[in-house]
Amino acid sequence: MAVEWSGLTPEILLQLDRGSRGTLGAQVQATLRAAIRSGRLRAGERLPSSRRLAADLGLSRGLVQGSYEQLAAEGYLAATPGGATRVALAARPAAAAPPAPGPPSGPAIDFSPGRPDLGSFPMRDWLWACGEAARTASRADIGYGDPAGAPRLRAVLAAYARRVRAACVEERDVVVCGGFTQGLGLALRALRERGDTAVAVEDPGHRELARQVCRAGLRPVPVPVDEHGLVVEALAASGATAAILTPAHQTPTGVALAPERRQELLRWADERGGVVIEDDYDSEFRYDRRPVGSLQGLAPDRVVLIGSVSKSSARRCASAGSSHRPASRPRSPRRSTAATAAAPAWTSWRSPAWWSPGGTTRTCAACAAPTPPSGPRSPTRWAATRRTCA
């Protein structure tokens, strides 16, 4: 309940520091805010007139009037023409401060799967790439740009995929995303728009893939994996018209899709009009076999390649390439980016300097060197060859 004073309103004790760097007007506002927030001034209580408060504090009336107007604009005070200025905001208890975090504790050696050796990341090269991109960027480069990604970045990524992954891809086929999850979401939405209802996923495999298929409004169908990779006969019997698999390095078994299985899979796609989504999540890391080319390079009209450099460059940037044959492919993921923004502009225009000339190649060479398990950084390096299956 507000206290009504008869006669003159009592003065308010406000402490001002005339030697501080802050202006006197800012101090008056801060002191009145603190008094209202703490409950020292209750809602509905009348404040001294601007003339009275200015005389009490030895300030100009205009400074006090300006402080009252600012607090009224913020909602702390309410003033009526020709009337008194009153407190408009009731005091509220401050939110309890969260407990102070303790010292970080973690294992000396991290065996968690799916995490690369971040200590091998060449930060100096990365900073150079950022500076080079900022130095050469135009005004258009820092805007929204093409939702599929900066053309120069897409051209560099396409060249990298052709050279390193034996992919059949051009700049127009590449969509730059904020990570593998977004790239897969675009591909699944294109499949749903095409009329697909069931998508095969590897069993065992990454459980998050099945959850993402469900979120896209499709039905995940588990297909077994053996020592040669995905069992194509089981895929054919599942009734699915699309499949998500990791042919270069299956997770969690680590096997590569055998050559004969690759041919069987592509025959299945041709016969069923199916689409294969190739998850190329960590193909740069190899310890026990020679490089295996991408499946997309064998059948660009049936395979959508989604790759990520989060393992090799410690950041999220996925490139999705689709083929060109309109009679057999689903709606291009690139057309779906109008409603889903691609990677941030900063990532899109700084990345070409990193990918060319060879920044990411040096990173992969540093992180994926065939060091024996006894090496000082081998636990996290070997962990980079696996992916969390939970």
Side-chain angles (χ1 to χ4, degrees):
M1 181 177 179
V3 177
E4 292 292 342
W5 303 94
S6 60
L8 294 177
T9 303
E11 65 180 15
I12 301 176
L13 179 62
L14 299 180
Q15 298 290 342
L16 302 180
D17 184 1
R18 299 179 183 273
S20 66
R21 293 185 179 181
T23 64
L24 293 176
Q27 292 186 52
V28 172
Q29 296 171 28
T31 306
L32 287 174
R33 287 193 197 96
I36 295 172
R37 290 171 179 168
S38 64
R40 190 159 65 91
L41 292 176
R42 306 290 180 85
E45 286 194 29
R46 188 174 59 185
L47 297 184
S49 66
S50 59
R51 188 188 304 275
R52 170 78 182 277
L53 185 60
D56 292 341
L57 299 178
L59 303 175
S60 67
R61 184 186 178 190
L63 187 148
V64 176
Q65 284 179 328
S67 299
Y68 277 5
E69 291 173 358
Q70 178 62 32
L71 293 176
E74 296 176 5
Y76 287 92
L77 302 179
T80 56
T85 301
R86 297 179 181 272
V87 177
L89 185 67
R92 298 184 181 182
S105 59
I109 300 177
D110 188 0
F111 287 97
S112 300
R115 298 181 183 180
D117 182 9
L118 299 179
S120 297
F121 182 78
M123 187 61 69
R124 180 177 299 180
D125 291 343
W126 179 249
L127 293 176
W128 169 86
C130 293
E132 184 69 11
R135 185 183 66 82
T136 60
S138 64
R139 293 183 178 179
D141 290 332
I142 59 178
Y144 284 109
D146 192 327
R152 184 186 172 197
L153 173 59
R154 301 205 312 271
V156 173
L157 289 175
Y160 180 86
R162 291 193 303 267
R163 180 185 180 93
V164 179
R165 300 297 300 126
C168 181
V169 59
E170 299 294 336
E171 172 191 333
R172 61 181 178 271
D173 304 321
V174 176
V175 177
V176 182
C177 305
F180 171 82
T181 299
Q182 186 188 24
L184 179 60
L186 292 175
L188 292 175
R189 185 165 64 181
L191 289 174
R192 187 183 61 189
E193 293 176 356
R194 192 183 75 148
D196 293 60
T197 58
V199 178
V201 294
E202 295 173 319
D203 183 22
H206 201 300
R207 296 182 182 177
E208 179 58 29
L209 297 181
R211 288 193 284 264
Q212 191 164 356
V213 170
C214 292
R215 286 194 291 268
L218 301 171
R219 177 172 57 89
V221 180
V223 175
V225 174
D226 60 16
E227 65 274 13
H228 301 294
L230 185 78
V231 180
V232 182
E233 293 181 358
L235 172 63
S238 67
T241 54
I244 306 173
L245 67 156
T246 51
H249 187 199
Q250 204 275 335
T251 177
T253 64
V255 302
L257 190 64
E260 59 274 11
R261 292 282 178 87
R262 288 182 166 226
Q263 297 299 327
E264 293 177 12
L265 179 63
L266 297 181
R267 283 196 297 269
W268 166 84
D270 286 333
E271 294 172 359
R272 295 289 183 88
V275 174
V276 177
I277 299 178
E278 182 176 6
D279 181 359
D280 202 42
Y281 69 98
D282 70 343
S283 59
E284 290 86 359
F285 296 94
R286 298 179 299 272
Y287 301 96
D288 55 350
R289 64 173 66 93
R290 297 293 299 170
V292 179
S294 68
L295 191 65
Q296 189 268 353
L298 298 176
D301 59 331
R302 292 296 179 188
V303 181
V304 177
L305 175 65
I306 304 180
S308 173
V309 296
S310 61
K311 301 291 187 298
S312 58
S313 297
R315 60 191 180 93
R316 297 179 179 178
C317 176
S319 61
S322 61
S323 60
H324 291 302
R325 195 186 333 171
S328 59
R329 73 170 186 172
R331 183 182 180 189
S332 171
R334 181 178 176 183
R335 301 178 189 174
S336 300
T337 56
T340 305
W346 166 248
T347 300
S348 293
W349 60 265
R350 71 180 172 177
S351 297
W354 170 250
W355 284 81
S356 176
T360 187
T361 304
R362 290 192 294 272
T363 306
C364 295
C367 294
T371 306
S374 59
R377 277 185 270 188
S378 60
T380 49
R381 286 179 178 174
W382 284 78
T385 67
R386 299 290 297 274
R387 186 173 181 176
T388 305
C389 181

